[in-house]
Amino acid sequence: MRLGLVAYSFKAAWCDAYALMERAATAGLRGVEFPAEQCLPGTSPEELARARDGAKARGLGLVADGGVVEEEALRRWIPQAAGLGAPVLRVILSRVLGGNRREMRGGWRAHLERACAALRAVRPLAEAQGVTIAVENHQDVTSEELLWLCETVGGRHIGITLDTGSTLAVAEGPLEFAQRVKPLVRNVHLKDYHIFLSPTGYRLSTCGIGEGVVDFPGLFALFADQPDLPMSIELGARQARHVELLQEDWWADYPARPASRLVEVLRVVLPRARPAEEDYRIPHERGEPEHVLRAYELAEFSRSTAYLQQVSAGPGAGR
């Protein structure tokens, strides 16, 4: 697999695009993903070309990163991705976390349809620029909704960014979610979580890749037929996400789903869940000093890289 690194893996150890490239190359990775507007000193054609050349010199592929789907923003991000030579632009649908659609006050479906309209409006631009827009399951959207979105937008320049850990936030199993959306996956965020039970559901607490509940060997086997698929470490979520699926109103803005779909996620959660009374907080949530947080993030990255390079090179998971 083409293992890479997402800029959002770091908070205390945040760096610009060029330092991110160096960090990835030094670790033996083959790609980086970053938002040009946050990680470059500017987005002029010259600066984008400089970043493109910097990645090429280090043997790195690029994925461009955007934010919440809005037509005006997409019309900026698509040419930026093209200027970087990035064939994929990752975007998200909302800022909802922990699958908590309650904050949408019953408006999730309308929000989804507006996002779909914005994506359809920029489809000609994406096609002209040769950029595929890959919508992420950013703790807010189900596998079926992502498939509906891509089908409705249509064309070959719309796809999915699969976040392996965020599937748990909408109560779907990581591997099953991946199997359902596989034909449209154009980018992958490799994320793992420890799970802590709570009286109303469970908390997702970020951890190094391979240290939590996601079945990465199974994931790599699933995508073994796509050796050039970007699959990047994303160690974000420095605050635990609370998935309150035992609360009736948590489900109010979700479409009906079969009980078997819930069983999928319970098979992942229950065997490895930690008790509710155990402290789920990482150093960021405990208010540790900045130097401690930086060291924590860099050590987590080092462990994750070592694990992924070992697992992705195993049987049936060519790299």
Side-chain angles (χ1 to χ4, degrees), residues 186-201:
R186 302 293 179 263
N187 185 39
V188 177
H189 282 185
L190 301 169
K191 185 184 293 176
D192 207 354
Y193 282 115
H194 291 310
I195 293 183
F196 294 79
L197 298 178
S198 81
T200 55

Side-chain angles (χ1 to χ4, degrees), residues 76-99:
R76 294 197 318 271
W77 298 332
I78 292 169
Q80 289 171 9
L84 287 168
V88 174
L89 167 66
R90 169 263 187 187
V91 296
I92 61 176
L93 292 172
S94 78
R95 299 292 182 188
V96 167
L97 296 172

Side-chain angles (χ1 to χ4, degrees), residues 60-104:
L60 301 172
L62 289 179
V63 172
D65 198 22
V68 176
V69 167
E70 295 174 349
E71 183 178 345
E72 182 180 350
L74 285 164
R75 293 191 182 279
R76 294 197 318 271
W77 298 332
I78 292 169
Q80 289 171 9
L84 287 168
V88 174
L89 167 66
R90 169 263 187 187
V91 296
I92 61 176
L93 292 172
S94 78
R95 299 292 182 188
V96 167
L97 296 172
N100 183 22
R101 295 185 183 179
R102 291 172 293 193
E103 63 188 65
M104 302 295 289

Side-chain angles (χ1 to χ4, degrees), residues 303-316:
R303 298 195 310 275
S304 298
T305 301
Y307 170 80
L308 287 169
Q309 289 175 333
Q310 177 184 6
V311 173
S312 66

Side-chain angles (χ1 to χ4, degrees), residues 41-55:
T43 57
S44 67
E46 295 76 17
E47 188 61 50
L48 295 173
R50 178 182 169 225
R52 181 185 66 231
D53 293 344

Side-chain angles (χ1 to χ4, degrees), residues 218-251:
L219 186 82
F220 287 139
L222 178 64
F223 289 105
D225 60 342
Q226 296 174 247
D228 294 325
L229 179 67
M231 305 186 83
S232 300
I233 297 168
E234 208 251 309
L235 302 168
R238 296 306 177 182
Q239 302 290 322
R241 313 307 192 196
H242 199 183
V243 184
E244 297 191 281
L245 77 172
L246 298 183
Q247 298 282 78
E248 186 175 350
D249 64 344
W250 187 87
W251 294 96

